[in-house]
Amino acid sequence: MKLLHYLILDYLHELPAKFSQLISVDVDIIFNMPKHELSKPDLLLQLDFMFESEYINLKCKNNDINKKPSDQKFDFEIYLTNLGGKVWEEAFKPNWNQFVLVEQDYLDKKNINIKIATINLSYLYLILNSLGVKENKIHKLSPWHPVYWKLIKEAYSSNFVINEDDFNEDVLLKYGEKWRKQWDFNASQLRLKE
Amino acid sequence: MEVWGGGLVDLDAKALAASDSKAKECKNKSCKESYPEYLPCSSLRGYSYKSKRDAFYALGGRDKGVKIQKPRPAHSGPCVGQGEHWNVLSGGGRRGSIASCRCCEDTPSGPKLTIRYKAI
């Protein structure tokens, strides 16, 4: 495994992605990660290796495809297998206790529906408190998928509706990064931070 | 007396002219001069939305099940240190991403800092 393969695993660790997203000139903006700098044939070659090593699987319209990436004629979705997830964990050393899942969507012109989930209940209260959300009902999730390939026995979530003008989303910035090993974005070549 | 009066009128006129000239100078300043640390909005490719909501809708955010995840600092692209990033998901997969950028826009009333969003 090269660092490049870890980068591809990292592109896919939160959500399955389409091949067209991986080959985009804006791949770094889409994934908020370093660019892979590969041509289409070279990327397909690396994906073939990862497919044959069973780190990734392919699907199209929710159906698994059993042909390797370079045999595909149309766009396809790529996702991590359980093995791929384990390899990602070995490289990026996640602390799932600090992982925060946030999902938001707009209800109407003023309000946002927000769901926040964490393993650690006191951490969830801390986040809700920093967002100014008080006396909100907490739900127990058992089991819980923080990301699609990872299963956690137990977690907690809170759903609430907030006025868009009252939602200080920047508060969440500090909860997004330190739960895992990060790329060294200042390095001239692909490198993970120590 | 005439000298005094004339002098005062003269001073007022000079002060007004100076202030007017400064105001014009401010208005005439460009983003490059006033906010050199920010990119001009016009130089950003695809950062065309004025709100995160508009960018979200451009990615099909009105469809059922489309959601935005948490914000993160922008690590890549043109706006590192001046922008944020959100994953947009639907049906368990990546629908796309939203990237924001704080940038400077030259307006008739002078340069203004603003935030632009890209749906990708």
Side-chain angles (χ1 to χ4, degrees), chain A residues 11 14-18 21 24-26 28-34 62 77 99-106 108-111 164 167 169-170 172-173 175-177 179 182 185, chain B residues 45 47 51-54 56-57 61 65-78 80 83-99 118 120:
Chain A
Y11 288 157
E14 281 185 293
L15 298 164
K18 290 183 190 126
Q21 292 170 326
S24 165
V25 288
D26 286 326
D28 54 338
I29 301 178
I30 294 174
F31 295 98
N32 201 25
M33 287 180 200
N62 286 330
E77 224 176 352
F99 179 80
V100 182
L101 183 72
V102 178
E103 288 182 355
Q104 38 174 319
D105 58 312
Y106 295 98
D108 49 43
K109 283 183 179 174
K110 285 181 182 172
N111 296 304
E164 196 172 356
F167 182 39
E169 198 183 9
D170 286 351
L172 295 171
L173 280 171
Y175 299 108
E177 298 276 289
W179 67 284
Q182 272 296 349
F185 291 96
Chain B
R45 186 172 50 87
Y47 286 76
S51 71
K52 191 179 85 180
R53 182 190 281 260
D54 288 345
F56 179 59
Y57 287 160
V66 185
K67 290 181 165 59
I68 308 175
Q69 291 189 333
K70 62 182 173 255
R72 287 152 220 231
H75 291 305
S76 295
V80 175
E84 292 173 20
H85 174 275
W86 296 261
N87 292 331
V88 176
L89 69 142
S90 72
R94 180 181 291 275
R95 169 73 67 112
S97 298
I98 297 172
K118 181 179 177 112
I120 186 165

